[in-house]
């Protein structure tokens, strides 16, 4: 039978065990694993994200309120960059995969690694090396700064940070809502078709003003060159919507002198400005080269995008 001292020692021992178990589970619940580094956080938006690979470096930086790319200053897709920044800010390291530098096994060799550095106000606030995706879970093997250990982070990071320059460029060329369009002029095969709101079209003498309001943006649409032809309402709606947005497929490395003569010109007029698009024969039958008064760059558009404008009046009839 246990004496009083033995009972007291047993109670103390059990109490210590219970305390240790509580601290262990509490630490685990709070993510307090000492093997996992605590990542620095920052307030507000970052100023720069640099992505370095064996094939080259991409620098994304803020300038005059916009994200830009490399020394050329290409406009970046703000949505893509902001998602990247959010991912890096909220990066979750879930496990320690290896204390030893088995970098080849985890895709963290110099020729395979993607190095990502985030700066704010000139200071480095995030510095990670991205390796391979885990074969079993939606995680990625990473290193943090100069630390030799290999960690597992949530998310498939290589797809987000392994893009080319073109993958980060802003591909929105036009964003014109149908309600703001006054007219669309199409010049194709030496003919011109101008589609305008009836309320904005020149009136015949004695004709009533206004339209029937059955077109997007309000007001019936008429063709100025063929005023007696009734236009297909859905086709007109689709034409007006086609500029909201109009997007580039890609930005080919070609000069203006090499793309020949324009096959089709589209001019979109709003209450505030006039925007021109020129379509040229593309490098393949699946795309066309295009230029715009809204962009200094030659870009590709899908063939179905360009060919919706390469039509005659019969194609727009009701």
């Amino acid at each position: 039978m246990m004496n009083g001292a033995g009972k007291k020692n047993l109670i103390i021992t059990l109490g210590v065990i219970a305390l240790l178990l509580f601290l262990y589970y509490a630490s685990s619940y709070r993510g307090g694993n000492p093997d996992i580094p605590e990542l620095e956080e920052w307030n507000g938006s970052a100023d720069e994200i640099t992505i370095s690979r064996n094939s080259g470096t991409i620098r994304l930086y803020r300038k005059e309120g916009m994200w830009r790319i490399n020394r050329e200053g290409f406009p970046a897709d703000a949505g893509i960059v902001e998602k990247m920044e959010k991912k890096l800010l909220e990066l979750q390291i879930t496990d320690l995969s290896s204390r030893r530098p088995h970098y080849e096994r985890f895709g963290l060799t110099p020729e395979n690694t993607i190095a990502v550095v985030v700066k704010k106000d000139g200071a480095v606030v995030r510095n990670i090396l991205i390796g391979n995706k885990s074969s079993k879970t939606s995680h990625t093997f990473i290193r943090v700064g100069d630390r030799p250990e290999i960690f597992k982070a949530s998310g498939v990071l290589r797809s987000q940070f392994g893009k080319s320059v073109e993958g980060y460029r802003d591909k929105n060329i036009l964003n014109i809502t149908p309600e703001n369009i006054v007219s669309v002029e199409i010049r194709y095969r030496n003919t011109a078709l101008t589609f305008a709101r009836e309320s904005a079209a020149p009136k015949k003498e004695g004709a009533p003003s206004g339209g029937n309001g059955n077109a997007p943006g309000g007001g019936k649409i008429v063709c100025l060159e063929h005023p007696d032809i009734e236009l297909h309402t859905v086709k007109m709606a689709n034409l007006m919507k086609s500029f909201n947005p109009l997007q580039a497929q890609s930005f080919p490395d070609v000069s203006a002198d090499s793309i020949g003569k324009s096959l089709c010109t589209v001019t979109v007029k709003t209450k505030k400005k006039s925007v021109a698009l020129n379509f040229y024969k593309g490098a393949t039958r699946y795309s066309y080269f295009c230029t715009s008064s809204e962009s200094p760059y030659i870009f590709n558009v899908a063939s179905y995008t360009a060919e919706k404008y390469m039509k005659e009046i019969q194609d727009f009839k009701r």
Side-chain angles (χ1 to χ4, degrees), residues 58-64 66-77 165 168-170 295-297:
I58 298 174
R59 178 174 171 257
L60 302 159
Y61 58 95
R62 285 187 182 275
K63 184 178 181 180
E64 297 175 352
M66 293 180 59
W67 282 101
R68 299 281 181 174
I69 307 174
N70 289 349
R71 68 176 69 179
E72 296 86 353
F74 299 133
D77 187 312
V165 168
Y168 298 112
R169 289 185 68 169
D170 184 2
S295 173
Y297 310 108

Side-chain angles (χ1 to χ4, degrees), residues 292-311:
S292 169
S293 57
E294 294 294 285
S295 173
Y297 310 108
I298 297 172
F299 54 96
N300 284 324
V301 294
S303 57
Y304 64 83
T305 297
E307 289 168 2
K308 70 178 65 174
Y309 308 113
M310 298 179 185
K311 298 181 182 296

Side-chain angles (χ1 to χ4, degrees), residues 198-259:
E198 192 174 50
S199 57
K203 302 294 187 300
K204 294 181 181 180
E205 190 175 347
S209 62
N212 59 13
N214 64 352
K220 182 180 179 180
I221 297 175
V222 296
C223 179
L224 301 187
E225 292 79 10
H226 304 274
D228 297 327
I229 291 180
E230 188 169 0
L231 301 174
H232 197 289
T233 303
V234 174
K235 290 180 180 179
M236 285 296 100
N238 290 336
L239 175 65
M240 297 297 172
K241 291 176 182 177
S242 66
F243 309 103
N244 185 37
L246 186 140
Q247 294 182 313
Q249 269 191 332
S250 59
F251 296 90
D253 186 15
V254 296
S255 66
D257 296 334
S258 68
I259 60 177

Side-chain angles (χ1 to χ4, degrees), residues 10-22:
L10 178 61
I11 291 172
I12 293 173
T13 301
L14 292 174
V16 170
I17 292 173
L19 178 61
L20 291 174
L21 287 172
F22 171 78

Side-chain angles (χ1 to χ4, degrees), residues 36-40 91 93 108 126-130 141-153:
I36 295 177
E38 184 175 344
L39 298 178
E40 180 182 357
L91 188 68
I93 299 177
L108 285 163
R126 183 74 78 246
N127 183 4
I128 63 171
L129 301 175
I130 298 173
F141 298 110
I142 69 167
R143 289 177 58 199
V144 178
D146 296 327
R147 294 185 61 153
E149 305 100 320
I150 299 166
F151 302 97
K152 190 183 286 186

Side-chain angles (χ1 to χ4, degrees), residues 264-308:
C264 177
T265 299
V266 178
T267 304
V268 185
K269 292 183 179 180
T270 69
K271 296 176 182 179
K272 294 184 177 180
K273 63 180 179 178
S274 179
V275 177
L277 294 165
N278 288 284
F279 298 93
Y280 306 80
K281 183 179 178 180
T284 72
R285 62 189 180 94
Y286 301 108
S287 65
Y288 288 80
F289 294 130
C290 187
T291 61
S292 169
S293 57
E294 294 294 285
S295 173
Y297 310 108
I298 297 172
F299 54 96
N300 284 324
V301 294
S303 57
Y304 64 83
T305 297
E307 289 168 2
K308 70 178 65 174

Side-chain angles (χ1 to χ4, degrees), residues 17 34 70 84 94-95 103 131 134 138 176 216 237 273 279 282 284 289:
I17 292 173
N70 289 349
M84 292 166 57
T94 59
D95 198 8
Y103 299 143
S134 170
S138 295
I176 305 175
K273 63 180 179 178
F279 298 93
T284 72
F289 294 130

